[in-house]
Amino acid sequence: MLSAQGNKWDVYRTIPLAQQINEIEAVPFILNSDSKIYYPKKNDNLKQIALFLSEYIGIANGLQIEISTESPKKNGIVLLDNFKNDNKEAYTLIVNQNQILINGASGSGTFYGIQLLRKVLLENETKSQIELPAVEITDYPRFAYRGMHLDVARHFASAEFVKKYIDLLALHNINTFHWHLTDDQGWRVEIKKYPKLTQIGAFRNETQVGKQVGVYDGKPHGGFYTQEQIKEVVAYAQKRFITTIPEIDLPGHMVAALASYPELGCAGEGYEVYKKWGVSDDVLCLGNEKTFTFLEDVFTELIPIFPAKFFHIGGDECPKKRWEKCPKCQTKITELGLKKDSKHSAEEKLQSYCMSRIEKFLNAKGKQVIGWDEILEGGIAPNATIMSWRSTQAGIEAVKQCHKAIMTPSSHVYFDYYQSTDAASEPLAIGGFTNLERVYSFEPIPNGLTEDERKLVIGAQANVWREYIKSDAQTEYMVLPRLAALSEVVWTNADKKNYGSFLNRLSDFLKIYDKLKYNYAKHILEVSPEYKVDTENGQLILSLKTSSKSPIYYTLDGSEPTLQSKKYSESIIINSAVTVKAAVISENYKSKIFTKKFEFNKATAKPIVLKNEPVDRYRFNGGKTLVDGRTGTTAFSTGDWIALYKDDFEATIDLKSLQQIKEVSMNTFTSPNDWIFGPKQFQVLISKDGINFTPVHSQDLKIAEKGDGPKITNLKAVFTEQEAKYVKIKAPIFEKIPEWHYSAGQPTFLFADEITIN
Ligand code: ACM
Ligand code: ZN
């Protein structure tokens, strides 16, 4: 049980790291088949926890441990729930020669205590007799709201899998399950008064294939939960001290409901369950009172089956296009006296009216509402809690308006995003880049808040949108081990967090995933690259890292690395085109192979200056990203591309000496769904002195059209060979998203990658 660097008490340093671990120099406790679990008579909560613990010990160590309400004897694990602490989820865990005492400030605290003990045992190799060092642990969560979300609308997940997911949440001390039950692509919860929601709305005829807009797989997809099944899942979660919050996403993301009851839409007909990804212009008609009757009826059926205090009512990504044209919606706007002002359109205020009206209905039934951050637009419903997803900014605004906030920024906790920069060897994901380290670095409380405002940030959550996550196994892969990082973000106080220590503990924690047979991502055991561009010496530097205890072997000739290949010890210097292949290899293990192709041309590793800075989120290595020898794929957020927003692209490359050149090219990426439209022009200018530039190429480019999917374009200038020391590329941005788009009129992004000069 001794870990390499630490001491014998490190067995208690698992994930999430407990707040306080006092190491006691005393005789240890021996857990064996004579041990018993004791709990007080007539305490059903603790009885259930005792049963869980007995089961956990059986799984971890194969010991059959009895539970008992007798007065505790030597060699017992004693469960209590009278620990005096204001935090009801707090517990103490005391181990001495005679007993293990787990005392919670309530049942939930005791439950987290047995989770810790369970993890200690699961990470342990010994079976029949386990020595546990004497210790006194005091532990409690930093945040009261520790959430995980699951989108079962885009792809259905069986109730069985949802239970397995809840098991995972319990293992990571998560206490809230946010169940995204409805969306454009499927309505997943039985509503008895509206049977067509599940007869029609729960099924779609076919589904878009990957990112190929307009290409469908021809295969029906669907499914839903009966109210009985929902009750069962909710009870299953409750037993594990997890609250299930249902989300009915309104008034957008409602196409499945419109397909079932077309009269609820502005057009009144012609809807089918959405079979592609992205945001639909078709939303609920708010000029029609039937819409409100419908929503109230739906919630009236959900209230008895979801005991949670919070109900999530969505509110995100609701285009206002249909309302602008709909006579009923416009009449409603007039009736309500909603007027455009400097901040909000009348239609935004109409959405706000809807959210407030539903909130009022739910408040009257004893429920509080949560909404995505868009519900701030047009005025927030009076008592709503904000779930801040586009950034933490909306959360900040919410707490400044004395509303509660839950932080779920896509920059750090979207588990549908790529978790590796090597997107090509990952399952197709929606995009983005949220690796383990990034999740771990997340701090839910933004700087600059007052003490009172800080208290209004009740916690954080990670979201698992499943457009591209089709199976149970893939869901586990996307969630693990990022959930371990989240667990520490929401549980452990910030001053106790340390990524290096986390990685150490995680390599033991992975044994738990192995024992429980979860399909987790193994990146930390594989080769993880770090790239540098050395413009001083005109070379690229590749460093390879791993958290595995085994070494890395690599090749530069395209062959598969083996134990006979070169063992990695120091950074690899690259000054010509090469393909690097590397893997972590031991006698009985070989990781996934890391492959990276580097191109080399006159621009590679040369000094480059950008006139305008890329946006923070897509800054990466700045201008050097364009001369780093690595060509980006359509996974545009993993570090190969930089992006400008509102600003023109202009780069100047210094070739360091006069060179004969005849060709300059640059890649641009366009993806209208992601607001990425490329440049409207591609100009190349050259110079001998860096002051006087001569244009050698200029071409105009067309903006993407409706239906265009993600695409990489190689912009290329070919001209008569001439001498130059400096090359300038100018590529002005399109100012506005075109009319046909759901975000027409907004600014665009311009993505740029590898510049080549030959
Ligand atoms: C969201 O990701 N649309 C909340
Ligand atoms: Zn309407």
Side-chain angles (χ1 to χ4, degrees):
M1 298 245 284
L2 270 172
S3 84
Q5 307 78 344
N7 62 31
K8 62 185 173 190
W9 292 278
D10 280 353
V11 295
Y12 298 114
R13 295 192 171 90
T14 174
I15 294 171
L17 184 63
Q19 304 286 9
Q20 198 183 331
I21 300 175
N22 291 343
E23 303 171 353
I24 311 287
E25 258 323 334
V27 181
F29 178 89
I30 307 292
L31 179 72
N32 57 31
S33 53
D34 295 333
S35 305
K36 265 191 196 173
I37 300 167
Y38 298 95
Y39 66 96
K41 282 195 187 80
K42 298 197 186 126
N43 188 327
D44 287 341
N45 248 348
L46 290 182
K47 179 178 184 183
Q48 178 57 56
I49 294 170
L51 287 168
F52 278 139
L53 181 57
S54 170
E55 183 191 327
Y56 293 158
I57 296 173
I59 292 168
N61 303 92
L63 297 174
Q64 303 293 316
I65 305 277
E66 277 178 45
I67 69 166
S68 163
T69 55
E70 292 158 23
S71 63
K73 300 196 182 59
K74 202 167 163 350
N75 195 17
I77 303 175
V78 181
L79 303 181
L80 292 174
D81 59 1
N82 59 22
F83 173 47
K84 292 277 168 289
N85 199 294
D86 290 341
N87 189 331
K88 290 298 152 209
E89 295 178 300
Y91 67 91
T92 56
L93 188 154
I94 297 169
V95 179
N96 59 39
Q97 182 178 6
N98 296 325
Q99 64 174 22
I100 297 176
L101 170 66
I102 300 174
N103 193 2
S106 70
S108 60
T110 317
F111 183 73
Y112 295 118
I114 71 158
Q115 291 306 318
L116 178 77
L117 180 58
R118 167 199 193 190
K119 291 175 221 184
V120 172
L121 299 176
L122 278 165
E123 288 181 29
N124 191 324
E125 299 300 333
T126 58
K127 292 284 178 193
S128 57
Q129 174 146 317
I130 302 127
E131 192 179 300
L132 292 158
V135 77
E136 286 183 18
I137 294 172
T138 306
D139 199 13
Y140 54 89
R142 178 179 174 201
F143 290 105
Y145 185 106
R146 304 184 300 282
M148 274 295 284
H149 152 285
L150 187 69
D151 165 17
V152 296
R154 272 52 178 271
H155 282 100
F156 181 63
S158 69
E160 263 334 286
F161 178 71
V162 175
K163 287 184 193 167
K164 191 178 181 198
Y165 191 76
I166 286 165
D167 288 338
L168 263 183
L169 271 48
L171 180 69
H172 293 82
N173 298 19
I174 298 298
N175 67 355
T176 307
F177 170 47
H178 170 173
W179 206 355
H180 184 80
L181 285 165
T182 65
D183 215 302
D184 297 318
Q185 295 84 357
W187 183 283
R188 306 280 176 233
V189 49
E190 174 192 32
I191 301 295
K192 297 193 165 127
K193 201 164 178 182
Y194 296 87
K196 284 194 272 183
L197 285 173
T198 42
Q199 285 160 4
I200 295 171
F203 300 92
R204 57 178 182 260
N205 293 334
E206 53 185 356
T207 303
Q208 179 181 316
V209 177
K211 304 240 159 136
Q212 302 173 59
V213 177
V215 181
Y216 299 97
D217 65 3
K219 286 186 244 166
H221 175 87
F224 66 92
Y225 313 104
T226 63
Q227 293 190 2
E228 279 312 305
Q229 282 176 310
I230 298 252
K231 281 190 218 165
E232 219 179 275
V233 170
V234 169
Y236 187 89
Q238 224 166 8
K239 255 184 167 177
R240 289 154 182 81
F241 297 89
I242 292 170
T243 303
T244 304
I245 296 179
E247 180 185 354
I248 302 296
D249 199 347
L250 65 98
H253 289 282
M254 269 285 172
V255 174
L258 299 184
S260 316
Y261 297 94
E263 64 271 26
L264 301 176
C266 293
E269 60 181 11
Y271 306 108
E272 65 168 349
V273 179
Y274 219 46
K275 49 189 200 180
K276 57 185 175 183
W277 313 125
V279 174
S280 169
D281 286 333
D282 291 316
V283 303
L284 290 173
C285 176
L286 299 187
N288 183 351
E289 275 303 302
K290 268 192 186 168
T291 295
F292 291 95
T293 310
F294 165 76
L295 291 171
E296 291 179 6
D297 287 342
V298 166
F299 285 116
T300 299
E301 289 198 30
L302 296 182
I303 285 166
I305 58 177
F306 287 100
K309 174 181 74 178
F310 281 125
F311 270 44
H312 201 305
I313 59 173
D316 59 323
E317 300 174 321
C318 179
K320 314 288 189 277
K321 234 176 167 158
R322 298 289 184 255
W323 300 345
E324 285 163 11
K325 299 270 151 60
C326 169
K328 281 188 280 207
C329 286
Q330 288 303 316
T331 304
K332 192 81 180 180
I333 284 173
T334 310
E335 270 173 26
L336 294 168
L338 304 177
K339 295 212 166 58
K340 173 178 167 33
D341 61 27
S342 60
K343 283 205 212 118
H344 304 298
S345 67
E347 286 76 19
E348 282 174 338
K349 292 185 176 177
L350 182 63
Q351 171 162 351
S352 184
Y353 161 79
C354 165
M355 303 317 280
S356 300
R357 186 165 161 182
I358 298 302
E359 173 180 79
K360 200 164 162 197
F361 175 82
L362 284 166
N363 283 172
K365 311 263 177 195
K367 300 293 182 187
Q368 295 291 315
V369 307
I370 301 177
W372 298 111
D373 59 43
E374 287 92 332
I375 70 167
L376 280 168
E377 295 159 7
I380 183 171
N383 306 309
T385 296
I386 287 285
M387 195 166 259
S388 192
W389 73 276
R390 290 177 293 185
S391 67
T392 53
Q393 192 51 40
I396 295 171
E397 281 165 36
V399 300
K400 290 201 181 291
Q401 295 178 39
C402 298
H403 286 259
K404 290 191 186 117
I406 297 159
M407 298 300 192
T408 68
S410 57
S411 55
H412 288 78
V413 281
Y414 265 42
F415 290 178
D416 54 336
Y417 283 13
Y418 283 107
Q419 50 190 320
S420 153
T421 51
D422 183 16
S425 51
E426 290 295 311
L428 180 69
I430 195 161
F433 176 59
T434 309
N435 67 355
L436 192 66
E437 187 165 5
R438 187 149 177 150
V439 177
Y440 195 80
S441 73
F442 177 47
E443 170 47 54
I445 309 248
N447 288 330
L449 297 184
T450 65
E451 194 49 42
D452 285 343
E453 288 163 357
R454 293 165 74 91
K455 286 194 189 122
L456 289 170
V457 178
I458 59 174
Q461 169 175 300
N463 296 334
V464 185
W465 300 104
R466 301 205 315 146
E467 287 95 333
Y468 299 90
I469 305 177
K470 298 181 185 174
S471 68
D472 300 347
Q474 195 186 347
T475 305
E476 291 175 24
Y477 177 86
M478 297 305 274
V479 165
L480 302 177
R482 289 188 283 194
L483 175 54
L486 176 78
S487 155
E488 208 139 290
V489 167
V490 290
W491 182 279
T492 308
N493 284 348
D495 61 353
K496 299 201 167 63
K497 279 176 61 199
N498 175 291
Y499 188 60
S501 140
F502 171 74
L503 282 181
N504 259 329
R505 287 177 285 114
L506 183 60
S507 64
D508 286 327
F509 198 78
L510 296 183
K511 288 183 206 152
I512 299 182
Y513 295 159
D514 283 326
K515 274 195 188 157
L516 301 180
K517 299 195 164 47
Y518 286 114
N519 180 41
Y520 61 94
K522 300 196 171 57
H523 300 101
I524 70 156
L525 304 177
E526 297 168 357
V527 176
S528 144
E530 220 175 72
Y531 305 102
K532 284 211 182 79
V533 180
D534 173 9
T535 52
E536 194 80 6
N537 301 300
Q539 60 190 16
L540 306 172
I541 302 172
L542 170 66
S543 307
L544 303 175
K545 294 195 297 192
T546 181
S547 287
S548 167
K549 312 258 183 316
S550 304
I552 296 172
Y553 294 84
Y554 71 97
T555 66
L556 300 175
D557 61 1
S559 65
E560 279 234 345
T562 65
L563 278 172
Q564 279 68 51
S565 306
K566 202 167 160 59
K567 192 166 170 177
Y568 177 85
S569 61
E570 58 186 34
S571 300
I572 303 167
I573 305 291
I574 295 167
N575 40 35
S576 60
V578 71
T579 297
V580 180
K581 291 195 178 210
V584 175
I585 311 178
S586 65
E587 287 300 335
N588 47 23
Y589 173 76
K590 185 170 192 173
S591 74
K592 192 168 87 182
I593 295 180
F594 161 84
T595 302
K596 188 52 80 181
K597 188 175 172 192
F598 293 88
E599 305 284 359
F600 230 89
N601 62 75
K602 290 187 170 118
T604 311
K606 291 293 174 1
I608 175 169
V609 176
L610 295 180
K611 183 171 171 204
N612 296 311
E613 278 294 301
V615 283
D616 276 348
R617 189 160 177 181
Y618 302 109
R619 179 190 308 279
F620 301 107
N621 208 6
K624 287 181 178 176
T625 312
L626 308 181
V627 292
D628 62 4
R630 295 180 287 128
T631 305
T633 64
T634 54
F636 59 87
S637 327
T638 53
D640 290 331
W641 296 89
I642 58 167
L644 289 111
Y645 183 62
K646 298 183 187 168
D647 286 325
D648 294 333
F649 176 88
E650 185 179 319
T652 309
I653 294 171
D654 175 359
L655 298 173
K656 288 191 151 178
S657 61
L658 282 175
Q659 311 238 359
Q660 289 295 123
I661 64 170
K662 58 178 192 309
E663 199 181 289
V664 173
S665 81
M666 180 175 90
N667 279 350
T668 186
F669 172 70
T670 48
S671 178
N673 244 345
D674 301 299
W675 295 27
I676 304 170
F677 286 89
K680 63 180 177 190
Q681 225 174 41
F682 178 61
Q683 300 172 34
V684 177
L685 303 92
I686 61 172
S687 166
K688 288 183 179 163
D689 57 9
I691 298 161
N692 301 303
F693 280 86
T694 316
V696 290
H697 179 87
S698 178
Q699 92 193 74
D700 290 336
L701 301 159
K702 281 212 195 71
I703 199 156
E705 287 173 15
K706 189 166 185 162
D708 284 352
K711 193 169 79 179
I712 294 172
T713 307
N714 183 243
L715 303 168
K716 194 180 223 170
V718 181
F719 43 91
T720 40
E721 184 162 298
Q722 43 199 301
E723 220 171 34
K725 182 161 178 270
Y726 298 91
V727 174
K728 192 189 289 290
I729 296 177
K730 289 188 179 186
I733 197 165
F734 284 107
E735 285 85 5
K736 283 183 182 163
I737 294 180
E739 265 317 298
W740 55 262
H741 193 274
Y742 69 88
S743 297
Q746 297 287 331
T748 72
F749 287 91
L750 186 167
F751 273 63
D753 184 32
E754 216 55 17
I755 294 174
T756 66
I757 301 177
N758 285 305

